[in-house]
Structure formats: structure tokens, C-alpha cells
Amino acid sequence: MELITKYMTRNDCYKAGRKINPTGIMVHSTATPGMMAVDWFSRWNKSYQAGEINRQVCVHAFLDDKEVHQYLPWEHRGWHAGGKANNTHIGFEICEPGGFSYAGGANMVGYDVLKQEAYFRKAWQNAVELCVMLCKKYGLSEQDIVDHSEGHKLAIASNHADVKHWFPKHGESMDTFRKAVKVALKAEQSANSNDPIAKAKKLYRVQVGAFANKQNADAMLEKIKAAGFDGYVKYE
Ligand SMILES: [Zn+2]
């Protein structure tokens, strides 16, 4: 995951400067086909009060198949949920790929699942890695992650369909997303555990012989195995 940090200091949300103690993460998607993460800076780094933008919105990060762009400090109160999740949740947007359109609400028209699968997988992976990073930073688990549509059901967000209108096209859901985050968190934990072999990048090896002739090497390996030890022949 490549994280690029550049705050939207001109956005009124940034200027409001309110802080939160993050207790959750809210996943969104942009509903703006083809607009990638880097592009949102010039779109949203604007002041509503100065009449430069017609929406009062800001989110902590946008990500696509390549990068994660952080636009607000993680502990800054964002304007992404349209509800009280703004007081508790870090919000990020997954950019939707180009090549389709919207017709009425959250209906993706002309969305070619096969063509979009590679983009989706890379963006999904970046989203998982961002969640893992934030869970570790704030002591959260996969259970603390919801999408905008789940936030509405929990009465902490406005009535939006993201990402429920998109993930199922690729056979995924917020449940499988949480599961992927859980697996990734577990993998990191075991890599950081106290198991000295898992921890050590360098290992001490015991060598019992070096032979110019492979038959002699194989004969020694047989002896070692016969004596009840495990071994292998390595040719360098
Ligand atoms: Zn949303």
C-alpha cells in the first residue's frame, strides 16, 4: 500500500479543526466512475463558505488500484457520514473505475464485471491494508468496520447504498471484507509474535559435510536420516 499524505487545508472541514477519538472505520465508494484518488484533491480542496464548492464534504482518504491519498489527519473530524459517525469514524472512499454510468440512484449501468475485476482486486487490497494499518494504530478490530449503508441501518449515517451496490458484483460483501481484514491482522500478529524462528530473519544452520560428489552427499544425508535427524542436500 502506497500512502500519500496531503491535507485539504482549504476545505472548511479541515479548517473547522475538530478532533475525534476514532472508534470505527467507515468504508465508502465514490459513485463517480473513473475519478481516481489523486484527482479528488483539486475537486474538494475548496471552501464551501467562499462559494468554491457546493457541498460540505470531506473524508480522511481516497484510494484506488494504485495509491491511498490521505486528505485529513486520521483524528480530524470528517464530513463523510451525514450522521453521527462523523464523531467516531475514520472515513475513506474507494474510487470506482471508469467505463460505466449511473442511472437513477445506485444502479451501475454497463458495469463489466470481468473487465473491472483486476481494478477491483487491487483497490480491495489497498482498502484491506489501510484498514489493517488503522486497526493497529487505534486498537480496533474488523468488527469496528462498517460501510455507509450499514451505518445508515445503525442510524449513524445518511441513507446511501455504498458499498453494498458494488461489492456483490465481484462476489464480495462487507462480511467478506471484514474477514479479509481479520486474516491480514492475524497474519501480522503471528509475524510479530515471540516465536524466535518466525521473528529471526537469519537462522543458525548446522552443516555436517560438503562434498564434490553428489553420491557422497546423498550417502551422508541417508546416515543423518537414519540417525533420526531431518536434513537436506543443498548444491551451491
Ligand atoms: Zn458514502
Side-chain angles (χ1 to χ4, degrees):
M1 179 186 89
E2 191 177 344
L3 177 67
I4 297 150
T5 299
K6 189 178 176 188
Y7 298 144
M8 290 186 173
T9 54
R10 201 161 165 74
N11 189 298
D12 298 325
C13 175
Y14 181 88
K15 290 184 199 162
R18 285 182 58 186
K19 295 288 160 197
I20 61 166
N21 180 20
T23 57
I25 301 168
M26 186 168 282
V27 184
H28 302 263
S29 71
T30 54
T32 310
M35 188 68 63
M36 294 294 105
V38 68
D39 302 327
W40 288 89
F41 188 85
S42 58
R43 271 172 85 94
W44 277 11
N45 187 35
K46 291 177 176 172
S47 168
Y48 175 84
Q49 280 177 10
E52 297 165 354
I53 184 171
N54 61 6
R55 295 176 69 196
Q56 289 181 288
V57 281
C58 205
V59 69
H60 295 89
F62 282 81
L63 66 85
D64 54 35
D65 60 334
K66 295 189 174 65
E67 300 150 342
V68 180
H69 287 257
Q70 183 189 1
Y71 289 140
L72 282 179
W74 303 122
E75 290 161 39
H76 199 101
R77 184 177 180 274
W79 294 346
H80 58 91
K84 60 186 177 188
N86 282 340
N87 298 326
T88 49
H89 283 60
I90 293 169
F92 69 86
E93 296 270 356
I94 305 175
C95 296
E96 297 176 13
F100 72 100
S101 62
Y102 276 95
N107 192 10
M108 292 170 136
V109 179
Y111 187 88
D112 185 334
V113 174
L114 279 182
K115 213 177 91 188
Q116 307 288 13
E117 178 70 8
Y119 175 92
F120 180 83
R121 288 298 147 199
K122 288 181 196 156
W124 165 280
Q125 187 57 32
N126 278 337
V128 168
E129 288 177 21
L130 177 60
C131 285
V132 166
M133 188 199 90
L134 292 172
C135 281
K136 282 164 61 190
K137 193 173 172 70
Y138 293 106
L140 308 175
S141 82
E142 78 285 351
Q143 300 293 336
D144 301 311
I145 306 169
V146 292
D147 75 351
H148 197 154
S149 74
E150 290 173 324
H152 180 249
K153 277 194 203 146
L154 294 167
I156 58 170
S158 55
N159 188 5
H160 281 215
D162 54 323
V163 297
K164 192 181 62 186
H165 73 300
W166 183 26
F167 279 16
K169 291 189 186 302
H170 293 275
E172 304 289 358
S173 66
M174 278 308 291
D175 285 334
T176 60
F177 183 77
R178 281 184 283 266
K179 206 170 168 190
V181 172
K182 185 181 180 179
V183 167
L185 274 169
K186 268 209 168 142
E188 290 224 356
Q189 277 162 8
S190 60
N192 295 329
S193 75
N194 287 325
D195 178 349
I197 292 183
K199 216 173 182 180
K201 291 222 167 72
K202 288 184 178 168
L203 299 173
Y204 294 99
R205 297 173 198 276
V206 179
Q207 186 175 348
V208 291
F211 306 90
N213 181 312
K214 183 166 187 301
Q215 275 178 349
N216 292 341
D218 288 339
M220 177 57 90
L221 182 61
E222 285 308 309
K223 275 191 202 170
I224 291 166
K225 286 188 170 168
F229 296 101
D230 211 6
Y232 58 90
V233 172
K234 194 176 170 201
Y235 183 71
E236 295 178 309

